[in-house]
Amino acid sequence: MNPTPAIEIAGLTKSYGDVHVLQGVDLTIEKGNIFALLGSNGAGKTTTVKILTTLLKADGGTATVNGFDVATQADDVRGSISLTGQFAAVDEILTARENLILIAKLRRQKNPGAIADELLARFSLTEAGNRKVATYSGGMRRRVDIAMSLIGNPSVIFLDEPTTGLDPEARLEVWQTVKELADGGTTVLLTTQYLEEAEQLADRIAILHEGRIIANGTLADLKAMFPPAKKEYVEKQPSLEDIFLAITSKSNGKPASTTTVKES
Amino acid sequence: MNTRFFGDTAILTGRSLRHIGRSPDTIVTTAITPIAMMLLFVYVFGGAIDTGSTENYVSYQLPGILLITIASGIAYTAYRLFQDKNGGMFDRFQSMPIARSAVLWGHVLTSVVANMISLVVVVLVALLMGFRTGASVLDWLAVIGILALFTLALTWLAVIPGLTAGTVEGASAFSYPLIFLPFLSSAFVPTDTMPAPVQAFAEHQPVTSIVDSIRAIFAGQDPGNEVWIALAWCVGLLVVAYVLATAAYRRRFA
């Protein structure tokens, strides 16, 4: 009765010389979930994503995406996914619209221009859409990047550290975007080193540590694994993030508003 | 797969050609060094060089300058590849259902087009400086063919550092020795005035046979065997560079 999981990984291993990056990763991700793979730098998150997106071959173990084996059915896997890598993979010399059209053409979509215009509108980029991406802020680049990943309606989207290097405002923009993705029924595998990001976005969270999954469950599950919360009374100070957002927000404490498009 | 290959190559070539259109300075920068060298050789050294031929010195040295143009032009191919690799565009393309080799071919074809434009600029300057040829349309096609083949071979060579270099500087530094190669050939002076070891090198490297062939064709003479040696060098270089480049590509994207 169980439908095919979006992603199924069993005993995945990968080494670079003497460095054993993945030492037997097991993971199942159901369809329609936002799944966060949490881990510190060097934990193997990007390696896992690269194997799942057919950019890298595993040394051992198996992995399927959308029911297709990443090693033997790489083409079918590529037809089912899209990758938003660690750095915004956007062509800076082209405009946002041209970037979107490029991907739509490569994915053999009808009406690439219409698809581009629709996505520009959805990501509040219509006005900036005909400017070179080189003139964009980090948050806008990421939005273009994610918009490019949606073309062709892939059933699984990989977001590898989508907010690393972004300022807090841009990070909130990206979070908003990711939440909207999941509403559309897409499976999202998100890697992050920020606990808060996993907490904000994910239905389920797995912790990857030294090449193994050491915890896996909902936020509530993970919380239950630890000793019960201690009650302490502490004066609630605004965090630096609260202060930063209060001062810089141009939209009255609604920092994630998509109208905060930077002009340069 | 094959229908995908041609379609995807066309789309990706269109993309990088647009880069050239957006930053025409790459064409200018490619052409400016060879033009400066041409001015130097023709107006400074040229008067003192006895080529032993009746043609004017502009025409004598032009084939070598054209090869220098190509050698400096392909540095941009390595640079653009490096940017795609480092900026994540490669990963994006490789994770899409497209013909993987189309990603390289897009850059390679763009390199050929960009170099051809630079070559036209250099030839136009040479014409202003007094280059004359009685070459027929067919002769010109032969020259263009040899230059295109040489560009293709050097471009595939440029793909290797573009994929494997750790820094931007490393990606384009490989072209310096290539730019220097025409100086150790028959491009600017006849090889028979060189010391024996240098002469031996000069006469057995690709530039000399290519330069001699193009020079003969421009002068309306029969290049004879030289043209086949030139083509053999180009094809040999092309095959070796292509094999190494695709191997580097496979290693990078398992």
Side-chain angles (χ1 to χ4, degrees):
Chain A
M1 261 320 280
N2 259 349
T4 330
I7 296 171
E8 201 162 22
I9 307 174
L12 205 63
T13 58
K14 177 77 189 176
S15 304
Y16 295 99
D18 286 341
V19 187
H20 305 294
V21 184
L22 301 182
Q23 309 182 18
V25 172
D26 301 294
L27 200 60
T28 303
I29 300 176
E30 300 302 332
K31 282 186 172 150
N33 269 341
I34 298 192
F35 194 99
L37 194 56
L38 187 65
S40 45
N41 272 333
K45 304 186 297 288
T46 297
T47 304
T48 306
V49 167
K50 285 200 161 172
I51 291 170
L52 290 174
T53 52
T54 76
L55 296 177
L56 204 60
K57 279 199 173 74
D59 295 337
T62 57
T64 63
V65 176
N66 214 16
F68 301 115
D69 188 291
V70 293
T72 58
Q73 297 169 294
D75 256 345
D76 295 311
V77 171
R78 285 178 213 137
S80 320
I81 62 164
S82 80
L83 166 68
T84 300
Q86 232 174 75
F87 308 100
V90 185
D91 188 327
E92 298 204 337
I93 299 168
L94 303 184
T95 67
R97 191 164 188 276
E98 287 166 344
N99 268 290
L100 293 167
I101 289 176
L102 172 69
I103 300 300
K105 279 186 183 165
L106 285 173
R107 286 198 182 268
R108 299 289 190 275
Q109 301 290 306
K110 286 178 193 133
N111 279 325
I115 290 174
D117 289 333
E118 188 197 323
L119 282 166
L120 288 172
R122 182 167 155 199
F123 285 83
S124 312
L125 290 163
T126 305
E127 265 176 62
N130 285 320
R131 267 195 291 140
K132 278 191 204 174
V133 171
T135 65
Y136 286 17
S137 69
M140 287 166 76
R141 268 171 217 231
R142 257 302 174 198
R143 291 213 303 268
V144 179
D145 194 25
I146 294 174
M148 284 159 83
S149 293
L150 300 187
I151 295 168
N153 294 316
S155 49
V156 183
I157 294 183
F158 294 88
L159 298 172
D160 193 11
E161 303 203 8
T163 62
T164 299
L166 292 185
D167 60 49
E169 198 177 334
R171 200 174 65 192
L172 291 175
E173 282 176 32
V174 171
W175 284 2
Q176 192 56 41
T177 310
V178 174
K179 282 177 183 161
E180 285 167 16
L181 284 188
D183 293 343
T186 312
T187 310
V188 178
L189 173 62
L190 166 93
T191 75
T192 182
Q193 45 181 319
Y194 303 122
L195 308 169
E196 195 196 349
E197 187 157 287
E199 196 171 335
Q200 282 279 335
L201 296 176
D203 306 315
R204 294 181 72 86
I205 300 164
I207 299 175
L208 185 62
H209 185 65
E210 290 177 353
R212 284 196 183 83
I213 301 286
I214 55 165
N216 184 357
T218 62
L219 183 61
D221 293 340
L222 295 183
K223 277 183 174 165
M225 290 169 62
F226 293 94
K230 249 191 322 187
K231 274 189 188 148
E232 274 184 39
Y233 294 94
V234 188
E235 193 179 47
K236 176 81 173 85
Q237 297 276 359
S239 70
L240 185 57
E241 181 169 333
D242 296 333
I243 298 167
F244 179 90
L245 290 171
I247 299 172
T248 57
S249 170
K250 294 157 208 134
S251 52
N252 258 337
K254 264 181 57 203
S257 157
T258 45
T259 55
T260 50
V261 174
K262 281 186 194 165
E263 292 301 327
S264 54
Chain B
M1 200 62 183
N2 265 334
T3 51
R4 281 222 80 104
F5 171 76
F6 291 111
D8 293 340
T9 302
I11 296 165
L12 290 167
T13 306
R15 166 198 171 231
S16 35
L17 278 177
R18 196 166 276 183
H19 285 196
I20 309 269
R22 294 269 156 90
S23 44
D25 50 310
T26 60
I27 301 272
V28 176
T29 338
T30 301
I32 209 110
T33 312
I35 288 171
M37 284 186 194
M38 183 155 67
L39 292 169
L40 189 71
F41 269 96
V42 172
Y43 295 125
V44 180
F45 304 138
I49 295 173
D50 179 13
T51 62
S53 94
T54 50
E55 59 183 335
N56 66 28
Y57 191 66
V58 188
S59 308
Y60 184 86
Q61 54 84 63
L62 182 62
I65 292 291
L66 294 179
L67 299 193
I68 290 179
T69 311
I70 294 169
S72 64
I74 51 147
Y76 277 102
T77 308
Y79 170 78
R80 281 191 288 269
L81 268 170
F82 181 84
Q83 294 294 350
D84 266 7
K85 186 192 74 175
N86 264 35
M89 284 310 274
F90 258 38
D91 283 351
R92 159 154 266 146
F93 291 141
Q94 298 296 331
S95 64
M96 288 173 60
I98 64 172
R100 283 189 156 187
S101 55
V103 179
L104 283 188
W105 275 103
H107 280 289
V108 167
L109 294 181
T110 301
S111 167
V112 174
V113 173
N115 274 301
M116 287 297 146
I117 299 171
S118 299
L119 289 171
V120 169
V121 173
V122 173
V123 169
L124 289 177
V125 173
L127 281 170
L128 288 177
M129 289 170 65
F131 161 64
R132 294 294 176 266
T133 171
S136 67
V137 174
L138 218 60
D139 291 339
W140 272 106
L141 284 179
V143 170
I144 292 168
I146 295 171
L147 291 174
L149 200 59
F150 188 66
T151 309
L152 204 57
L154 287 199
T155 298
W156 278 107
L157 202 62
V159 168
I160 302 167
L163 289 173
T164 54
T167 60
V168 182
E169 290 77 14
S172 40
F174 79 100
S175 71
Y176 299 137
L178 294 178
I179 292 173
F180 198 68
L181 218 47
F183 293 102
L184 298 175
S185 80
S186 63
F188 299 104
V189 294
T191 51
D192 47 24
T193 62
M194 299 173 183
V198 182
Q199 186 179 356
F201 175 80
E203 285 173 358
H204 296 94
Q205 61 122 322
V207 171
T208 295
S209 58
I210 299 171
V211 161
D212 289 350
S213 304
I214 296 177
R215 190 182 283 149
I217 296 171
F218 275 153
Q221 295 156 359
D222 177 12
N225 257 348
E226 213 56 45
V227 75
W228 299 113
I229 298 173
L231 289 177
W233 269 114
C234 289
V235 172
L237 204 61
L238 175 60
V239 169
V240 172
Y242 177 80
V243 168
L244 291 177
T246 42
Y249 190 56
R250 286 213 193 89
R251 238 192 339 268
R252 177 74 176 68
F253 303 100

